Amino acid sequence: MSRQTRRAFLKATVVGGGAAASVASGPWVLRAGAQGAPLKIGLVLPYSGVYAELGNSITQAMELVFARENWTVAGRKIEMIKEDDEMAVPTGVRKTEKLIDADKVDILTGPVHSGILMGMRDKVHSSKTILIVSNAGADAISRERCSKWIFRTSFSNWQPNQPMGGWVAKNVSKDVFITAPNYQAGKDQLEAFKETFVPAGGKLVGEDYPKLGETDYAPYLTKIRQSGAKAVYAFFSGTDAVNFVNQFDQFGLKQSVKLTGAGFLTEPDVLPAQGKAALGTITGHFYTPLLDNPTNQRFVKEFRDKFAGKMPDGFACQGYDTAEVIVRALKAVNGNTQDKDKLVDVIAKVEFDSPRGRFRFDPKTHNVIQPFIYIREVRETPLGINNVPIDKVADVRDPGTGCTLPA
Ligand code: BEZ
């Protein structure tokens, strides 16, 4: 066998397996447990800008899971190639193309920003690259723009917000001002809130969309005060959440207006910078590090030990679950990722105990089914200021309207 032919043969058998693997018997054929080519995972995440800490949390938790496996799974060394999408759609798309075309990654993960996910979608779909979305919630990706190549371990924007509309109308107030950054995630999240808030008798006394990355919320807080709202429902994340929550308090609104929102508003990535300003805020989310299950307790301990006492947030849980899905799927195919259709089928069936509860994908959409959306209140706890569950809604799955897999 010539060197070139032998190299091509090795590629098809060792890395890919497939029909050749079952009949080949030469000394160069690696058996189960032997070392194949590295598994390349491309990360398109923000490591700068408003959502930088979200990207860090996802990455850190993935590293935690892969370190547990000594960075080798089913004979494949795990290689993470990290790209900063800089929170810009063209940059995110360019980095995606580079990871697919030049680096030839086996699996992609990220992004955080819904607009970047929408920008990446067609390249991922047409190149048949498996993308495990580890944050961006764009609803369309579980609906009319779904793809058999795209899974989501995080949430659709609808999931943490839809249960909150009815809950806020019933338990907080029927006179609510809603606000979120002016881009797709902001629009998706507030639409989902309205879906149950209005039928429950809620009245929207105002609605506003500051730009993503706003640093001065004074004009918006003035409008909230003038609206006569009894409560605000907000989606902000990263440094936007720090600025909004702190300025809401500094403005003196906290005394008369109850602050509620999507969980991202008071996640542990921002709570240290918000401090007491966040106390009393009520939000909906699939996770809090206070969840009382053994997988979460181990995760919180290991994460804090590894990352200088940092409290894991929902983004870290998403990174953990993304890496767990990869580890479990890779083991199930004995490290053979050549047959992509088979890998997709295997990923779709992965199930395990996650820090958030039982993890499984909805076969209808490839989006995670949330075991629970917790309604949480920010309180002082023995672990510091954190999100204490006060109520929950079980089995929250995106409606998946318009998605017919395989698409
Ligand atoms: C999004 O753009 O989809 C998003 C960003 C931050 C938190 C949640 C969702």
Side-chain angles (χ1 to χ4, degrees):
M1 195 179 281
S2 76
R3 278 180 72 147
Q4 187 50 43
T5 322
R6 180 176 154 160
R7 200 175 301 132
F9 180 78
L10 269 173
K11 202 167 172 226
T13 54
V14 176
V15 180
S22 55
V23 293
S25 59
W28 54 85
V29 177
L30 298 181
R31 279 162 284 280
Q35 189 76 47
L39 183 93
K40 292 190 196 173
I41 304 170
L43 288 79
V44 182
L45 286 169
Y47 296 111
S48 54
V50 178
Y51 293 157
E53 200 46 35
L54 287 62
N56 287 334
S57 288
I58 293 167
T59 307
Q60 287 168 330
M62 290 184 72
E63 288 170 350
L64 176 78
V65 172
F66 293 138
R68 277 184 188 170
E69 305 287 329
N70 291 322
W71 291 92
T72 304
V73 179
R76 306 282 300 272
K77 199 169 164 334
I78 303 292
E79 219 175 270
M80 285 174 40
I81 307 175
K82 302 172 199 168
E83 293 291 345
D84 184 1
D85 63 30
E86 298 163 13
M87 299 272 297
V89 178
T91 311
V93 173
R94 186 166 44 78
K95 299 280 176 85
T96 301
E97 289 166 353
K98 177 244 177 208
L99 286 165
I100 293 173
D101 297 332
D103 297 321
K104 307 214 179 302
V105 294
D106 297 288
I107 293 177
L108 265 181
T109 190
V112 159
H113 184 298
S114 278
I116 295 178
L117 175 57
M118 295 310 289
M120 292 165 68
R121 190 264 176 208
D122 283 350
K123 175 69 187 176
V124 166
H125 182 74
S126 62
S127 63
K128 302 186 174 185
T129 306
I130 293 173
L131 166 64
I132 304 179
V133 179
S134 45
N135 188 76
D139 288 336
I141 291 296
S142 301
R143 300 183 189 178
E144 68 278 6
R145 301 289 287 148
C146 70
S147 159
K148 82 171 247 188
W149 305 103
I150 303 180
F151 293 86
R152 182 154 48 195
T153 53
S154 47
F155 49 84
S156 72
N157 286 324
W158 182 92
Q159 285 175 303
N161 294 283
Q162 191 267 4
M164 286 300 284
W167 198 92
V168 168
K170 180 163 177 250
N171 299 288
V172 181
S173 172
K174 292 199 165 47
D175 298 305
V176 175
F177 193 108
I178 60 175
T179 183
N182 190 8
Y183 79 110
Q184 185 163 355
K187 300 285 169 60
D188 278 355
Q189 300 211 16
L190 295 191
E191 279 309 310
F193 174 82
K194 286 185 213 173
E195 206 177 296
T196 52
F197 178 70
V198 175
K203 194 171 115 216
L204 294 169
V205 300
E207 186 168 347
D208 226 337
Y209 295 88
K211 71 172 192 291
L212 181 63
E214 179 59 75
T215 51
D216 179 9
Y217 288 97
Y220 305 97
L221 296 168
T222 304
K223 275 204 228 169
I224 290 171
R225 177 176 281 148
Q226 288 167 350
S227 73
K230 302 275 187 320
V232 164
Y233 187 84
F235 156 62
F236 292 105
S237 190
T239 53
D240 280 359
V242 174
N243 289 326
F244 183 81
V245 170
N246 287 350
Q247 291 173 29
F248 188 88
D249 184 29
Q250 287 152 13
F251 224 72
L253 280 174
K254 236 183 115 174
Q255 279 74 48
S256 50
V257 183
K258 186 73 174 170
L259 185 55
T260 69
F264 318 102
L265 191 63
T266 57
E267 275 300 279
D269 64 317
V270 292
L271 278 173
Q274 294 167 336
K276 290 188 188 304
L279 285 174
T281 306
I282 293 179
T283 60
H285 208 31
F286 64 83
Y287 180 73
T288 157
L290 305 180
L291 291 184
D292 188 15
N293 70 66
T295 309
N296 186 49
Q297 281 157 357
R298 180 179 173 205
F299 171 53
V300 171
K301 181 174 183 331
E302 288 183 1
F303 191 89
R304 299 194 78 192
D305 287 350
K306 194 171 168 78
F307 301 111
K310 176 175 167 177
M311 185 64 76
D313 42 40
F315 312 109
C317 179
Q318 296 158 199
Y320 178 102
D321 290 342
T322 300
E324 274 290 329
V325 167
I326 294 171
V327 166
R328 284 163 189 271
L330 203 52
K331 286 180 179 170
V333 295
N334 288 322
N336 173 350
T337 53
Q338 203 77 340
D339 184 344
K340 292 202 219 170
D341 291 296
K342 182 173 174 197
L343 189 56
V344 164
D345 290 345
V346 165
I347 291 175
K349 293 191 179 73
V350 165
E351 246 195 85
F352 57 93
D353 287 328
S354 148
R356 76 178 90 180
R358 192 76 186 154
F359 183 98
R360 62 205 164 106
F361 289 112
D362 186 341
K364 184 179 173 195
T365 59
H366 284 178
N367 188 55
V368 58
I369 297 171
Q370 307 296 350
F372 292 101
I373 291 297
Y374 296 95
I375 292 93
R376 321 161 316 165
E377 183 168 26
V378 180
R379 293 184 186 161
E380 307 262 14
T381 80
L383 284 176
I385 293 178
N386 219 317
N387 295 292
V388 177
I390 56 172
D391 203 352
K392 61 186 178 183
V393 177
D395 198 33
V396 179
R397 46 183 102 199
D398 192 273
T401 314
C403 171
T404 30
L405 290 176

